[in-house]
Amino acid sequence: MLDFLDISKPFADLDSPVDLETERAITRWLHAEVRFLDAERYQEWLERFIDPDIHYWMPDMETRRRDDPRGMFAYGEAAYFDDSWKELEIRVKRYNEPSAWADNPQTRHLHQISNIEVNATEDPTLFAVHSAFTNVRNRNEADQDIVHGRREDVLRAVDGGYRLLRRRVFIVQNVLLSKNLNTFF
């Protein structure tokens, strides 16, 4: 198995930047993805951007001493998300349920993506992508959440486009103060 596909392992220090045309195409893909998320076009996001073999993981970050060998997180411990296609599909379907009161009225979203780095891997159909994000969500008059973090994505080239195969999401907040986590990063 290729190490960068293992959700429990961080990307190594990849130093295989792709050509400018590939980098631009993947950057455009990332921008289109967040446009779909901002518009709450979740079913289309799932179908257009997500690979059926997806592993989408967001660990709960813990404050530990620098000399703690566990680090700030470890796979298999607490996580906000540890989703396959099936779990993402369930989350997407939930948005359309009458019982989804946390999203009615509609949440206003803004995803900002920056610090994009695209690296080739030993598999020519897979790309390792680092990025930073800010996710702003606003509801009602005074409900606002701002979440900052970074992502390690693996994109698979499919039919002239790309699909998200793996996403590791790391937020910078130690305590997430949001009332809910009805969003995708």
Side-chain angles (χ1 to χ4, degrees):
M1 181 173 160
L2 303 170
D3 275 352
F4 61 89
L5 288 176
D6 184 345
I7 203 79
S8 70
K9 295 181 180 177
F11 284 168
D13 288 331
L14 298 172
D15 193 20
S16 303
V18 297
D19 60 85
L20 290 176
E21 183 179 327
T22 303
E23 181 179 343
R24 180 68 180 138
I26 288 175
T27 298
R28 289 177 61 103
W29 184 93
L30 291 168
H31 291 159
E33 180 198 18
V34 298
R35 184 170 38 85
F36 274 67
L37 293 175
D38 284 349
E40 294 189 342
R41 295 168 61 182
Y42 300 128
Q43 188 62 43
E44 293 170 88
W45 169 76
L46 192 63
E47 294 166 2
R48 180 174 171 178
F49 294 92
I50 307 303
D51 192 275
D53 294 325
I54 182 73
H55 195 165
Y56 186 100
W57 181 57
M58 182 176 150
D60 180 14
M61 307 296 271
E62 295 185 24
T63 302
R64 297 180 180 145
R65 294 186 48 83
R66 288 180 185 269
D67 58 355
D68 189 325
R70 295 175 298 163
M72 290 186 288
F73 60 88
Y75 188 71
E77 294 183 4
Y80 292 105
F81 304 118
D82 190 3
D83 295 346
S84 67
W85 175 275
K86 190 65 177 164
E87 285 88 15
L88 289 176
E89 189 175 48
I90 289 167
R91 288 176 56 204
V92 165
K93 285 181 181 176
R94 192 200 70 62
Y95 280 99
N96 296 322
E97 295 295 323
S99 60
W101 59 267
D103 291 301
N104 195 2
Q106 181 176 354
T107 301
R108 290 169 296 282
H109 301 266
L110 173 68
H111 292 77
Q112 292 181 315
I113 303 296
S114 65
N115 301 33
I116 299 166
E117 295 179 72
V118 182
N119 281 279
T121 69
E122 57 229 52
D123 181 330
T125 66
L126 300 177
F127 300 90
V129 182
H130 289 268
S131 63
F133 70 87
T134 297
N135 180 301
V136 180
R137 298 182 311 146
N138 188 283
R139 291 191 68 245
N140 302 322
E141 293 174 10
D143 254 347
Q144 179 163 293
D145 299 310
I146 300 173
V147 180
H148 303 281
R150 57 190 171 84
R151 305 183 311 186
E152 292 181 352
D153 293 343
V154 175
L155 299 185
R156 177 183 282 165
V158 178
D159 299 327
Y162 302 96
R163 297 286 180 128
L164 179 64
L165 180 61
R166 179 193 113 163
R167 175 164 286 162
R168 287 167 40 115
V169 179
F170 303 101
I171 60 173
V172 298
Q173 289 92 332
N174 185 51
V175 176
L176 193 57
L177 300 175
S178 301
K179 293 177 184 174
N180 62 50
L181 210 52
N182 295 342
T183 191
F184 297 98
F185 297 100

